[in-house]
Amino acid sequence: MATPQLEDKLTCSICLELYQDPVTLPCGHNFCGDCIRDSWRRWKKMCPECRQPFPDGAEPCRNVALSGVLEVLQAAGRRPEPGLESRAGSGARCPRHGRPLELFCRTEGLCVCCACSVRECRHHERALLDVERRERETQLRARLVVTQEQITQAKTQLEELQKQHTQIQSSACNLASVVSSKFTSLIQALQLQQTLALRNIEAAKTQVLTQALDEMHQLQDHLEALAQHYHRVQNLLGQADDENFFQELQQLPESPEPLGPLTPLQWDEDQQLGNLNEYLSPLCNLLLEERNPPRVADVDDSSPVEALGPLTPIPSLMCPLRKKLWENYRNLTFDPESANRHFYLSHQDQQVTHGCHPRGPAGPDSFELWQVQCAQSFQAGRHYWEVHASDHSVTLGVAYPELKRHKLGKQTDNIGRGPCSWGLCIQEDSVQAWHNGKARRLSRVSGRLLGMDLDLVSGRLTFYSLEPQAQALHTFHALFSRPLYPVFWLLEGRTLTLCHQPGSELPTVPQGEASALC
């Protein structure tokens, strides 16, 4: 009686039954005589097992020995059972025939075995599985390259658009300041023309910035779609199972279409200023002869410290951004108890100078570092304040009450060096935003007159440079959970002044503790 292993050796790979009139091909593989001839009538004349071509005009030879074995098996009454399992082997198996998946049916998009190729898929277009896999991988890699190029192009366009957006904002702010300063110097009868000119500039700015924001949003959405498609393709290329690979490949969507060139932003400073000729033709030369706005405070750095004047009135002519910030202006004072022993406070604690000689022993609450904090703190609402620095090498920021007062290592400041403080460091050759020990390098700007806007409702801290016009330098986003104190660091010989609004009263500080401005 034959064993199942023997029956497996005596089974035709085409019909999956015991050989009937077995024949042998030159490659050594055996098949039923009728099965191999039927296969050749429907497909190429080659071996279904190894794909070796069979010579035209030749006939397969009858396998006498194998026929004798089959006669003995049939005489013993042993017949193959339905559903006989295929011999053991590695790789995925055909769920219908149990044979290895060696082919890919391009018509149906499925992995198939040799039996499928002469039965269900005999009229379909087929290819070897590994050949088809390599071809499809090549196509996917080409698609990946195109997607990466689109991502790079979109990022470049987005960066350029953001740069233009910033420049247009600054230009529009400058134009508004120029027009405002010029019209203010004219007689009352020209105020109507001034309002009209400012309205036109604001309308033009709104229109072009709206276009810029719309295109930025489109580019950001396009970048997200490209990134998702990029990751899907990468995941598909990492799929080890062939059957899952082709199943997921069928579901893979096409890569997003490129957005194409961006519409140029139509912003022309000369055109905006040229429109004034229609309203003020006799006065055009007067209005356009000077483009630079007036300085906020004309301070001589070489003057003595006492001559700086922290209460110097700030002119009312300023760009709309700074006017908006002034709605939440806070007058602050330095806390004498926190000042480093080399720091000298003056002008009702509104001005601090870093001197060469210590003024006395350090107090229990004073900074060992070259720092001082304000007597006021903020724990709710929105607040804005401004400072004037005599020179570079200063740091301004905010910190929680637990900010360390003592030195750690060789550092002379710790503003932004840990998780409980945020700072902006102004150096001679660089500007850096610091938080939690990480710095972000910013563009160089004038660091003499600076503003800080703290919005505890939305969790934003924004630093501004105010000369020649207000422009945002950096914004921190955080969930501020405890009261925040303005804190400052300054190098030896530097002076820092807290600017006060004209006519505003100094905030009241309870004895022994800092007040909270809410």
Side-chain angles (χ1 to χ4, degrees):
M1 181 177 295
T3 63
Q5 291 79 5
L6 179 58
E7 287 187 358
D8 190 24
K9 297 293 184 180
L10 300 176
T11 300
C12 175
S13 63
I14 298 178
C15 64
L16 301 181
E17 299 288 343
L18 287 180
Y19 290 119
Q20 297 292 328
D21 189 19
V23 296
T24 302
L25 302 185
C27 60
H29 292 110
N30 302 305
F31 304 94
C32 297
D34 292 338
C35 289
I36 190 63
R37 294 184 182 91
D38 182 65
S39 173
W40 288 347
R41 285 193 295 269
R42 294 177 171 83
W43 188 240
K44 296 180 181 179
K45 200 169 185 180
M46 62 175 62
C47 175
E49 291 281 353
C50 64
R51 303 302 183 194
Q52 179 175 331
F54 190 81
D56 291 335
E59 287 293 331
C61 298
R62 182 172 181 270
N63 192 320
V64 179
L66 191 57
S67 298
V69 173
L70 289 168
E71 290 176 359
V72 173
L73 180 62
Q74 292 173 353
R78 178 69 175 176
R79 300 298 299 168
E81 299 177 4
L84 185 65
E85 295 182 355
S86 62
R87 60 182 179 270
S90 60
R93 298 275 176 168
C94 177
R96 289 173 290 187
H97 305 114
R99 299 194 61 80
L101 296 175
E102 301 173 339
L103 302 172
F104 181 78
C105 179
R106 291 176 174 172
T107 303
E108 295 184 359
L110 299 173
C111 298
V112 297
C113 65
C114 294
C116 296
S117 68
V118 296
R119 293 187 178 183
E120 292 85 354
C121 302
R122 60 181 178 270
H123 298 302
H124 296 170
E125 182 182 2
R126 289 157 290 174
L128 290 176
L129 191 60
D130 57 343
V131 174
E132 185 69 16
R133 171 79 185 236
R134 286 194 298 270
E135 182 178 341
R136 295 299 178 92
E137 286 182 345
T138 301
Q139 296 174 356
L140 285 176
R141 288 191 178 92
R143 184 190 298 184
L144 204 63
V145 170
V146 173
T147 303
Q148 181 61 49
E149 292 175 351
Q150 292 179 2
I151 290 176
T152 302
Q153 180 184 5
K155 286 183 177 179
T156 302
Q157 291 175 331
L158 180 60
E159 291 174 357
E160 181 63 26
L161 199 58
Q162 289 172 337
K163 181 179 179 181
Q164 294 181 25
H165 179 270
T166 302
Q167 292 174 346
I168 290 172
Q169 275 190 319
S170 177
S171 175
C173 185
N174 185 40
L175 287 174
S177 179
V178 169
V179 173
S180 182
S181 64
K182 289 297 181 181
F183 273 109
T184 305
S185 64
L186 298 177
I187 61 176
Q188 187 70 25
L190 297 177
Q191 290 182 350
L192 179 61
Q193 309 299 346
Q194 174 191 15
T195 303
L196 182 59
L198 290 174
R199 185 182 303 149
N200 291 340
I201 289 178
E202 188 65 22
K205 181 193 77 171
T206 302
Q207 180 179 1
V208 70
L209 291 184
T210 299
Q211 176 191 348
L213 288 174
D214 291 341
E215 294 186 354
M216 288 170 63
H217 292 156
Q218 291 179 8
L219 280 171
Q220 289 171 345
D221 294 340
H222 187 55
L223 275 174
E224 291 178 1
L226 288 173
Q228 292 177 2
H229 184 74
Y230 182 87
H231 290 309
R232 286 178 181 173
V233 174
Q234 275 192 326
N235 293 336
L236 182 57
L237 289 173
Q239 176 59 254
D241 185 85
D242 292 332
E243 186 174 10
N244 290 338
F245 172 86
F246 286 101
Q247 288 178 353
E248 294 176 7
L249 180 61
Q250 302 298 320
Q251 301 174 1
L252 181 68
E254 294 294 329
S255 58
E257 293 293 332
L259 292 180
L262 298 176
T263 303
L265 299 178
Q266 301 299 324
W267 177 259
D268 189 350
E269 291 184 7
D270 294 332
Q271 179 182 357
Q272 296 297 327
L273 291 175
N275 290 336
L276 295 178
N277 293 329
E278 301 177 7
Y279 312 121
L280 304 171
S281 181
L283 301 174
C284 273
N285 293 333
L286 175 63
L287 291 174
L288 303 179
E289 66 183 1
E290 182 179 352
R291 294 283 302 276
N292 296 324
R295 292 172 59 87
V296 173
D298 190 11
V299 180
D300 184 5
D301 294 341
S302 63
S303 302
V305 172
E306 294 294 322
L308 286 175
L311 295 179
T312 301
I314 301 177
S316 60
L317 300 178
M318 61 181 67
C319 67
L321 173 59
R322 194 174 176 198
K323 285 185 178 180
K324 182 67 176 178
L325 293 171
W326 264 44
E327 295 176 3
N328 301 295
Y329 201 99
R330 301 290 182 262
N331 290 336
L332 304 178
T333 58
F334 295 113
D335 179 12
E337 301 296 326
S338 69
N340 179 275
R341 67 195 191 103
H342 287 83
F343 284 7
Y344 291 82
L345 272 59
S346 59
H347 293 91
Q348 297 180 321
D349 296 335
Q350 298 157 35
Q351 188 176 83
V352 61
T353 301
H354 188 164
C356 299
H357 305 288
R359 52 182 168 78
D365 297 326
S366 63
F367 280 99
E368 184 181 359
L369 302 154
W370 292 347
Q371 294 176 184
V372 63
Q373 73 177 27
C374 285
Q376 296 77 27
S377 66
F378 308 106
Q379 56 189 10
R382 185 169 183 177
H383 315 276
Y384 174 74
W385 61 97
E386 296 177 356
V387 298
H388 185 277
S390 63
D391 206 344
H392 58 77
S393 300
V394 297
T395 300
L396 55 154
V398 296
Y400 290 142
E402 62 265 29
L403 182 67
K404 300 293 185 182
R405 304 295 175 104
H406 304 290
K407 286 185 178 181
L408 294 176
K410 297 182 179 180
Q411 292 289 345
T412 60
D413 78 300
N414 61 356
I415 302 175
R417 309 290 179 172
C420 64
S421 59
W422 296 256
L424 184 76
C425 180
I426 309 293
Q427 297 293 340
E428 182 178 10
D429 57 348
S430 67
V431 179
Q432 295 179 334
W434 281 86
H435 174 61
N436 203 16
K438 297 180 180 179
R440 178 176 178 182
R441 195 177 185 90
L442 308 176
S443 301
R444 291 183 58 188
V445 294
S446 173
R448 300 296 182 86
L449 187 62
L450 302 163
M452 297 177 63
D453 181 32
L454 177 61
D455 189 350
L456 295 167
V457 177
S458 59
R460 293 197 313 267
L461 171 64
T462 304
F463 296 88
Y464 291 90
S465 172
L466 304 176
E467 291 181 324
Q469 66 276 333
Q471 60 172 318
L473 299 179
H474 184 73
T475 299
F476 288 107
H477 297 272
L479 182 61
F480 301 114
S481 57
R482 296 184 293 283
L484 289 170
Y485 288 83
V487 61
F488 308 89
W489 171 91
L490 55 157
L491 191 64
E492 183 177 346
R494 305 301 191 259
T495 296
L496 203 65
T497 304
L498 293 169
C499 301
H500 281 205
Q501 273 194 359
S504 298
E505 296 182 358
L506 295 178
T508 303
V509 182
Q511 185 67 28
E513 64 177 306
S515 65
L517 300 180
C518 304

